[in-house]
Amino acid sequence: MKLAIAKEVEAGERRVALVPDAVARLVKQGVEVWVQAGAGAKSFFSDLAYEEVGAKIIADTGMLWGEADVVVKIGALQETEVYQLREGGVFIGFLNPLANPALVQRLADRRVTAFSMEMIPRTSRAQSMDALSSQANVAGYKAVLIAAAALPKYFPMLTTAAGTIRPAKVLVMGAGVAGLQAIATARRLGAVVEAFDIRPDTKEQVQSLGAKFVDVELKEETVATGGYAKELSEAAKEHTRQVLTQHISTADAVITTARVPGKKAPVLVTREMVSQMKPGSVIVDLAADQGGNCECTEAGKEVEWNGVNVIGTINLPSSMPVHASETYSKNILALLQLMVKDKELNLNFEDDIIAGACVARNGEITNQGVRDALTAQTSAVI
Ligand code: NAD
């Protein structure tokens, strides 16, 4: 089996899908690993480091994409790359399939067997393959560092000869993987942290990290299948905003991480709420790529709104490419252990992880949610 590690081409993407340590394991198992020349350079893994563990460096992009049995990536798959994939080949990577079902259709049209890392089931057995979590951890950590660097104040409480400094107040909205990591990081920096999520389970998790949970009593079901959040009704969204207004107005830094799979991010912080914040405060919006949790957010930009600095981050994991690549690499390696037998590709669709992550096969979209998303997009266009 020939496995290819593609060089990421998206602007600002610095990660690589497999690092040399993981390649060494695959080579030992008899997999032939091809690395696109320079694929690891931006995450500080040289071509030489890959060669030393037995990989082949391939400069010819057409050959790498067109002849490999399996191609792995971490950054978004580009339209042009779809057509470079060999018909009948296998692709593994982030495909954002619920937001971009048309791309999955094109993969199906090329009879590619496509695995989406977003669709790996969130089960205990699949924990080592959970790339959403490995990358969200990086994003949550980095978001707090960005907020701390942008805030014109200390995060911790300090008692100095020049007086006592009060700790910064941080509000984290959305307590999934990124939010919990943000809480832990802000606590480590000494801030006083409050957090909020619509899923009731998160209350205990927030409190166990030493943060105060902001209780917003919601009188509707907030959890969907798979443990993800449901989109709230307009009335519940309004109620949430009312309860949160006071907490937002007293916060020095607000980190927003709220997402609903396949939907636009919920607006949790309106312009009016931002206007009530103290000048010099900071908002770091991790949902900027899905429309943003703050109405003032501009994706990929830092904007000032009444003296409040609103930072719309994009692809934060890429800003810490060494650990982001190493952890993603472990996720991919764990998944490949289910896919490779006796040096050959052996896809067992009876396995819930293989079946769950597969979004296209035999010319068809195999995931009902992705099929529904495609139908919804197509009817919206008509
Ligand atoms: P995510 O990135 O989809 O969303 C981030 C957070 O935003 C979630 O906690 C969600 O509840 C919250 N949110 C959505 N709408 C909101 C709103 N209107 N207001 C406030 N918060 C809102 O979430 P995630 O980090 O990927 O986690 C999703 C689920 O997967 C969680 O239940 C998590 O515990 C679970 N999970 C399970 C495993 C595992 O078992 N292996 C691993 C990781 C995560």
Side-chain angles (χ1 to χ4, degrees):
M1 169 184 141
K2 293 189 195 86
L3 174 111
I5 305 168
K7 182 175 173 178
E8 304 296 333
V9 290
E10 202 185 14
E13 184 54 77
R14 294 173 59 195
R15 298 167 296 172
V16 63
L18 281 168
V19 302
D21 272 358
V23 170
R25 288 270 305 275
L26 292 166
V27 170
K28 261 192 207 131
Q29 288 171 13
V31 175
E32 186 175 336
V33 181
W34 289 0
V35 180
Q36 192 168 347
K42 289 185 185 154
S43 40
F44 309 101
F45 301 106
S46 65
D47 285 351
L48 185 63
Y50 284 103
E51 273 179 323
E52 280 173 357
V53 293
K56 275 191 197 141
I57 304 299
I58 309 283
D60 180 342
T61 312
M63 173 185 165
L64 180 117
W65 281 83
E67 292 182 26
D69 300 305
V70 179
V71 177
V72 290
K73 271 201 81 170
I74 183 163
L77 179 68
Q78 309 293 303
E79 293 285 339
T80 48
E81 291 173 332
V82 174
Y83 300 101
Q84 296 186 74
L85 275 164
R86 170 166 85 69
E87 292 217 8
V90 171
F91 176 80
I92 306 173
F94 283 123
L95 287 167
N96 202 4
L98 296 175
N100 200 359
L103 183 75
V104 182
Q105 182 61 61
R106 280 191 274 288
L107 286 164
D109 291 344
R110 280 192 74 77
R111 304 192 75 77
V112 170
T113 304
F115 294 93
S116 155
M117 292 306 282
E118 292 94 338
M119 299 311 240
I120 296 268
R122 294 318 256 291
T123 56
S124 325
R125 190 168 78 92
Q127 232 164 15
S128 57
M129 303 159 213
D130 185 351
L132 281 179
S133 289
S134 69
Q135 304 305 296
N137 256 314
V138 178
Y141 167 82
K142 198 65 190 273
V144 173
L145 299 191
I146 290 173
L151 191 71
K153 290 181 172 184
Y154 281 112
F155 255 41
M157 187 182 102
L158 294 180
T159 310
T160 75
T164 301
I165 308 278
R166 284 215 232 148
K169 211 169 149 191
V170 174
L171 174 65
V172 176
M173 304 173 92
V177 179
L180 292 173
Q181 184 56 252
I183 295 169
T185 307
R187 291 280 300 140
R188 279 184 213 116
L189 286 178
V192 170
V193 184
E194 288 189 328
F196 156 73
D197 198 295
I198 55 171
R199 289 183 297 113
D201 284 3
T202 55
K203 181 173 181 173
E204 219 181 287
Q205 296 162 357
V206 164
Q207 289 172 336
S208 72
L209 290 170
K212 187 175 160 231
F213 189 75
V214 179
D215 255 317
V216 179
E217 278 178 36
L218 293 168
K219 294 183 176 58
E220 62 187 45
E221 185 52 68
T222 56
V223 185
T225 39
Y228 287 100
K230 259 191 169 169
E231 192 173 22
L232 293 181
S233 65
E234 276 313 312
K237 280 185 196 161
E238 189 46 43
H239 172 63
T240 307
R241 287 184 203 125
Q242 278 173 13
V243 176
L244 289 173
T245 297
Q246 194 225 333
H247 296 268
I248 291 171
S249 64
T250 56
D252 294 298
V254 175
I255 316 274
T256 69
T257 75
R259 287 167 181 271
V260 178
K263 307 267 182 203
K264 197 175 166 295
V267 173
L268 304 176
V269 186
T270 60
R271 285 196 180 88
E272 204 188 319
M273 288 159 146
V274 178
S275 305
Q276 290 176 30
M277 290 176 76
K278 289 169 283 183
S281 314
V282 179
I283 298 176
V284 178
D285 192 340
L286 282 189
D289 59 341
Q290 274 189 18
N293 292 140
C294 173
E295 264 182 354
C296 305
T297 297
E298 287 185 36
K301 291 194 181 150
E302 212 173 308
V303 292
E304 205 188 295
W305 187 265
N306 279 354
V308 177
N309 196 355
V310 185
I311 304 173
T313 61
I314 283 199
N315 196 0
L316 273 192
S318 170
S319 70
M320 242 174 66
V322 172
H323 279 155
S325 303
E326 280 179 3
T327 51
Y328 184 76
S329 199
K330 289 222 167 94
N331 300 142
I332 294 279
L333 186 62
L335 179 62
L336 286 170
Q337 298 312 303
L338 298 183
M339 295 180 161
V340 182
K341 202 173 164 195
D342 299 330
K343 305 178 189 179
E344 294 304 329
L345 191 64
N346 185 321
L347 298 174
N348 170 16
F349 289 93
E350 302 288 305
D351 185 309
D352 68 312
I353 299 176
I354 301 286
C358 183
V359 287
R361 185 183 169 213
N362 294 337
E364 307 275 347
I365 296 181
T366 50
N367 180 287
Q368 186 59 47
V370 181
R371 277 198 295 267
D372 292 346
L374 186 65
T375 311
Q377 275 192 2
T378 315
S379 40
V381 170
I382 294 165

